[in-house]
Amino acid sequence: MDNDLLYQIALTMVPNIGTVHAKSLVELYGDAASIFKANKHVLEKIEGIGVIRANHIKAYRDFKRAEEEMTFIEKFKIQPLFLTDPNYPKRFLHCYDPPTLFYYRGTANLNSAKMLAIVGTRMNTDYGKHVTEQLIKQLELADLVIISGLAFGIDAIAHKTALRNNIPTVGVIGHGLDTMYPPQHKALAKEMLQEGGILTEFRSQTKPDKHNFPIRNRIVAGISDATIVVETGSKGGSMITAEMANSYNRDVFAVPGRTNDLKSAGCNHLIRANKAILLTDARQLKEIMGWEHPETKPFKAQRDLFLELSDDEKKLVSILKEKETMAIDELNIKSDLSSSGVAAAILNLEFQGVIRLLPGKMYKLV
């Protein structure tokens, strides 16, 4: 039995221990097993935990349910992704409330270089369908994954169009992987498993209850570099996704509609309130996101040969070589420099054209 996974699943089941608490505990103890084995009095003194939550952790005994989930995971070849897993969607690690444990089936890379969410109304018009299809057809990009919620309407159109254009697409669901909602999308989901995937933070036997979908929407926003909203009313899941994307410092785009069209009222509001960028075509999206022109190796070689960098700047460049993109918080931690030192070095590197600021306040080498 995989004891690590047993404790990871169990951690998601402890009463009053939400994703924010779990994240802080994992950061402190390193793994789920150590949290359950921790001294109760030490747990009580951790900020945000206190006596009640510490009692819940130490009193937890329902490991049988966790064992059942492990059997389900093994039977259906599900990939569990805990906070410390190298394949965990790293964009979410920079958010304040990352899911403690994901359940994933599929082939798409959840840490692909370009992750784009497309969401909208369940009752789309021909205009919404046309716009969604045209946008995706024009996105001829390497390492792109389309994210949506596998719902009726714009979500399904986005998934189907991505598949037709050989773009991996991941559906984020608000229930366990032992069912499919809506059931009409079983065939679509099956196809997506071959050219994308299905992702959830809900265990098996979790029903598609209404309150699960706002939780699902935050995942759509959190694992993506940007969110596009195509046709939505002033309320609903798409607006929640847009609000969450803004709270995570992600870019939000909205396709405008007629001023008297209720199905576009939400999009028009997001644009008017400066909560979304007015989007007209894929070329505009690629330009704003910096996805239009690929970097070239000769330029990088030039950078290394001719620029004189300070020790702090060299340290940041060395760290950024380890991965595609990195947030400033992670640079602070890995560099062991002061916040002001990192900020000054980043500013100089930007001026010299060595690094570039990406949407979501992520940095990468040029």
Side-chain angles (χ1 to χ4, degrees):
M1 181 182 293
D2 185 343
N3 282 329
D4 288 340
L5 180 56
L6 178 73
Y7 285 112
Q8 290 167 4
I9 295 170
L11 183 60
T12 68
M13 300 169 69
V14 178
N16 284 7
I17 299 296
T19 55
V20 176
H21 305 118
K23 180 185 180 184
S24 62
L25 287 168
V26 172
E27 286 174 347
L28 186 62
Y29 286 98
D31 60 73
S34 298
I35 296 169
F36 285 96
K37 297 172 185 176
N39 181 283
K40 178 185 173 184
H41 297 297
V42 175
L43 286 169
E44 290 175 356
K45 295 176 183 178
I46 297 172
E47 185 178 358
I49 302 303
V51 175
I52 294 175
R53 291 191 175 93
N55 284 338
H56 282 310
I57 293 170
K58 299 306 293 183
Y60 186 79
R61 294 291 183 273
D62 191 16
F63 290 99
K64 183 179 179 181
R65 177 66 186 90
E67 290 173 352
E68 291 172 354
E69 194 65 24
M70 289 173 66
T71 301
F72 175 78
I73 287 170
E74 184 177 1
K75 180 179 179 180
F76 292 98
K77 296 181 173 58
I78 293 164
Q79 185 179 4
L81 299 171
F82 189 65
L83 282 165
T84 55
D85 192 295
N87 293 317
Y88 186 95
K90 291 179 175 57
R91 289 166 175 81
F92 229 132
L93 292 175
H94 304 296
C95 302
Y96 62 90
D97 60 345
T100 308
L101 183 64
F102 278 115
Y103 301 94
Y104 179 56
R105 289 187 67 192
T107 59
N109 178 9
L110 298 177
N111 289 299
S112 190
K114 306 173 187 71
M115 304 284 283
L116 179 65
I118 300 179
V119 298
T121 179
R122 286 171 169 78
M123 304 292 290
N124 63 280
T125 65
D126 289 340
Y127 167 73
K129 181 175 185 291
H130 174 76
V131 168
T132 304
E133 291 175 340
Q134 287 301 112
L135 278 171
I136 294 174
K137 286 177 184 177
Q138 294 165 5
L139 287 173
E140 298 174 355
L141 297 165
D143 299 318
L144 171 67
V145 176
I146 299 292
I147 311 294
S148 200
L150 246 178
F152 287 122
I154 298 298
D155 287 21
I157 293 167
H159 291 308
K160 291 174 182 177
T161 307
L163 291 171
R164 285 198 298 270
N165 288 272
N166 300 311
I167 300 172
T169 182
V170 173
V172 184
I173 57 176
H175 48 81
L177 285 169
D178 55 335
T179 187
M180 179 48 58
Y181 178 84
Q184 293 91 330
H185 285 168
K186 284 183 179 180
L188 173 59
K190 186 176 181 179
E191 188 177 358
M192 289 168 62
L193 291 177
Q194 306 304 315
E195 299 292 336
I198 308 296
L199 181 70
T200 184
E201 70 172 308
F202 295 102
R203 295 183 298 277
S204 63
Q205 301 177 36
T206 303
K207 296 180 180 180
D209 294 328
K210 187 177 181 180
H211 62 265
N212 290 346
F213 289 93
I215 299 172
R216 181 276 307 270
N217 293 338
R218 100 182 191 288
I219 297 175
V220 173
I223 67 172
S224 304
D225 296 306
T227 294
I228 299 176
V229 185
V230 182
E231 281 197 324
T232 184
S234 56
K235 296 181 180 179
S238 300
M239 293 296 283
I240 293 172
T241 305
E243 291 291 346
M244 292 305 304
N246 274 306
S247 75
Y248 292 147
N249 292 316
R250 305 292 196 261
D251 283 281
V252 179
F253 296 85
V255 176
R258 292 173 297 181
T259 57
N260 61 347
D261 187 352
L262 294 178
K263 290 185 185 292
S264 290
C267 292
N268 293 340
H269 168 77
L270 290 169
I271 295 167
R272 186 171 60 250
N274 291 321
K275 292 183 176 182
I277 301 165
L278 188 153
L279 183 66
T280 56
D281 55 47
R283 184 175 180 180
Q284 177 198 3
L285 171 74
K286 289 187 281 188
E287 182 179 343
I288 292 173
M289 295 299 295
W291 291 348
E292 197 161 23
H293 304 292
E295 276 80 31
T296 58
K297 289 183 179 178
F299 189 86
K300 291 184 180 180
Q302 247 185 9
R303 175 197 70 213
D304 293 336
L305 287 171
F306 302 114
L307 288 177
E308 293 186 8
L309 305 178
S310 70
D311 289 342
D312 288 354
E313 291 161 5
K314 288 177 181 177
K315 182 177 282 191
L316 294 186
V317 168
S318 177
I319 293 169
L320 282 166
K321 285 180 179 179
E322 296 174 8
K323 56 193 292 190
E324 183 83 15
T325 61
M326 197 173 294
I328 192 168
D329 290 344
E330 191 173 359
L331 285 170
N332 280 325
I333 294 169
K334 286 183 175 290
S335 68
D336 202 29
L337 299 172
S338 66
S339 297
S340 59
V342 171
I346 282 177
L347 185 62
N348 287 334
L349 289 170
E350 282 191 275
F351 280 145
Q352 295 178 77
V354 178
I355 65 174
R356 180 157 58 91
L357 175 62
L358 299 176
K361 298 184 178 177
M362 305 287 285
Y363 289 92
K364 73 175 295 183
L365 292 174
V366 173

